[in-house]
């Protein structure tokens, strides 16, 4: 039993969100080690694969949560490995759009399979109604955060 006062629920919640998100990424990263790609690489590939249309380097940096120069370095590496290619935008030649190559698409399928297995193991026995409520809360918080940025 601790002599420290119990933290208010808001502090517990923010710590839980932070630690859970970090742990989630680390667990998926651990599952993907055999593919020879780190967290920043698989997240970049996943975001490109999930995009409805090719993304600019800037937009990709924003969704992955890194600075522009870091994304350029990541894309340089992924391009050297034959996983992505960059092409000028048809509407603005200063903008480079990122596309997956065949090898990148194949790697994404493996990433998705492993991520689905992790999701299934972690969420499979949780009541779908609880999962729905938790998801809606997190989406609301994400929206509020985006409005403040």
């Amino acid at each position: 039993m601790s002599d420290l006062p119990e933290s208010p629920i808001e502090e517990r919640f923010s710590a839980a969100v932070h630690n859970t998100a970090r742990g989630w990424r680390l667990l998926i990263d651990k599952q993907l080690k055999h593919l020879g790609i780190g967290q920043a690489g698989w997240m970049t590939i996943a975001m490109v694969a999930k995009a409805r249309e090719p993304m600019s380097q800037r937009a990709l940096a924003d969704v992955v949560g890194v600075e522009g120069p870091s994304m350029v370095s990541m894309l340089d590496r992924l391009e050297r490995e034959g996983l992505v290619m960059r092409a000028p935008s048809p509407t603005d030649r200063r903008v480079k759009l990122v596309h997956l190559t065949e090898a990148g698409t194949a790697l994404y399928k493996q990433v998705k399979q492993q991520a689905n297995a992790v999701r299934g193991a972690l969420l499979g026995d949780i009541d779908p109604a609880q999962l729905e409520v938790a998801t809606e809360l997190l989406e609301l918080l994400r929206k509020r955060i985006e409005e403040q940025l």
Side-chain angles (χ1 to χ4, degrees):
M1 185 88 102
S2 173
D3 291 333
L4 297 174
E6 190 169 321
S7 297
I9 189 65
E10 293 87 357
E11 286 182 27
R12 286 181 50 214
F13 178 81
S14 62
V17 167
H18 172 79
N19 293 328
T20 302
R22 182 177 182 279
W24 190 284
R25 286 189 308 271
L26 289 172
L27 180 58
I28 292 176
D29 197 43
K30 179 181 174 185
Q31 299 297 318
L32 297 176
K33 282 288 183 216
H34 71 282
L35 297 176
I37 190 161
Q39 187 178 105
W42 62 256
M43 285 182 67
T44 300
I45 287 171
M47 293 303 111
V48 173
K50 292 178 183 181
R52 294 176 193 242
E53 56 188 44
M55 297 177 75
S56 70
Q57 294 179 162
R58 175 75 257 153
L60 189 54
D62 289 344
V63 298
V64 172
V66 298
E67 296 296 322
S70 296
M71 180 53 63
V72 170
S73 295
M74 172 57 60
L75 292 172
D76 287 346
R77 188 176 65 78
L78 294 175
E79 200 166 36
R80 277 193 307 274
E81 294 172 6
L83 300 170
V84 301
M85 59 177 251
R86 290 177 276 196
S89 165
T91 58
D92 185 346
R93 294 190 60 78
R94 296 170 297 174
V95 174
K96 298 290 187 197
L97 300 178
V98 182
H99 305 265
L100 288 183
T101 62
E102 270 187 50
T105 300
L107 180 61
Y108 173 66
K109 288 178 183 176
Q110 292 180 291
V111 167
K112 186 175 180 181
Q113 181 181 25
Q114 292 290 315
N116 285 344
V118 169
R119 272 191 289 276
L122 295 176
L123 303 174
D125 63 346
I126 294 178
D127 177 358
Q130 281 185 298
L131 192 55
E132 181 70 28
V133 168
T135 301
E136 288 173 1
L137 175 61
L138 291 171
E139 289 171 346
L140 172 64
L141 290 173
R142 185 190 71 229
K143 181 181 176 203
R144 288 181 177 180
I145 291 166
E146 288 171 357
E147 289 169 355
Q148 303 253 341
L149 292 177

